[in-house]
Amino acid sequence: QKSLDILKKLGLEDTLDYATLFRNLGYLEKTLSNYDLAKGYYQKSLAIYEKLGLKKTDKYLKILIILGDLDYELSKYQSASNYYNQADKLSKELGLTETNKYAILLSNLGLVYQLLSKYDIARDYYQKSLDILKKLGLEDTLDYATLFRNLGYLEKTLSNYDLAKGYYQKSL
């Protein structure tokens, strides 16, 4: 807080240093499971990036994903999907779609859509995530297994028990 006060007195509120301090405070509050406080700090950091014209950067992308994660933790699934969709769009613009991080983003989108009962959309995102992980040779990872577990749960929710069983077995 002292650093924020000093930068404010110096008139340096709209700087990357100020945005970084907000990100660091957000990280700290997230670590302490103070998700509402963390969200406020990350939103302030995001606003500075926007004011500085830095919306098409990796750090801006990371903040969008973190805000989606925080809303997921707060059970604000529609808001989480909004942040994740913005991150999806930016990932495509930045050419960052062939990465494990992008596959996880798509998996998170699948999860929030599943929680919003938009099962077909969820299934599509899970499949896209699986395809990326497979293309990257990451079939023997926890992320890959988790996607099959999520697909199993989705199909169980829809009373497709045979499909669910198959996905659960693939997750082992």
Side-chain angles (χ1 to χ4, degrees), residues 105-116:
L105 169 62
L106 296 182
S107 176
N108 289 346
L109 267 164
L111 185 58
V112 294
Y113 279 116
Q114 183 173 340
L115 292 166
L116 291 168

Side-chain angles (χ1 to χ4, degrees), residues 81-94:
S81 74
N82 292 338
Y83 283 118
Y84 288 149
N85 276 310
Q86 288 178 64
D88 181 24
K89 182 180 177 193
L90 183 55
S91 294
K92 289 173 182 171
E93 290 174 13
L94 296 175

Side-chain angles (χ1 to χ4, degrees), residues 157-168:
T157 302
L158 297 172
S159 301
N160 297 328
Y161 300 115
D162 288 337
L163 272 174
K165 182 179 178 182
Y167 285 129
Y168 283 141

Side-chain angles (χ1 to χ4, degrees), residues 39 42-43 46-47 49-50 55-68 71 77-97 102 105-106 109 112-113 125:
K39 184 177 175 181
Y42 279 111
Q43 286 174 323
L46 195 73
Y49 273 84
E50 290 170 358
K55 289 176 78 171
K56 295 190 188 269
T57 63
D58 187 50
K59 287 206 185 332
Y60 189 85
L61 173 63
K62 288 177 186 175
I63 296 169
L64 287 173
I65 293 169
I66 291 167
L67 285 165
D71 275 340
Y77 304 125
Q78 187 59 55
S79 181
S81 74
N82 292 338
Y83 283 118
Y84 288 149
N85 276 310
Q86 288 178 64
D88 181 24
K89 182 180 177 193
L90 183 55
S91 294
K92 289 173 182 171
E93 290 174 13
L94 296 175
L96 300 173
T97 57
Y102 184 67
L105 169 62
L106 296 182
L109 267 164
V112 294
Y113 279 116
Y125 278 113

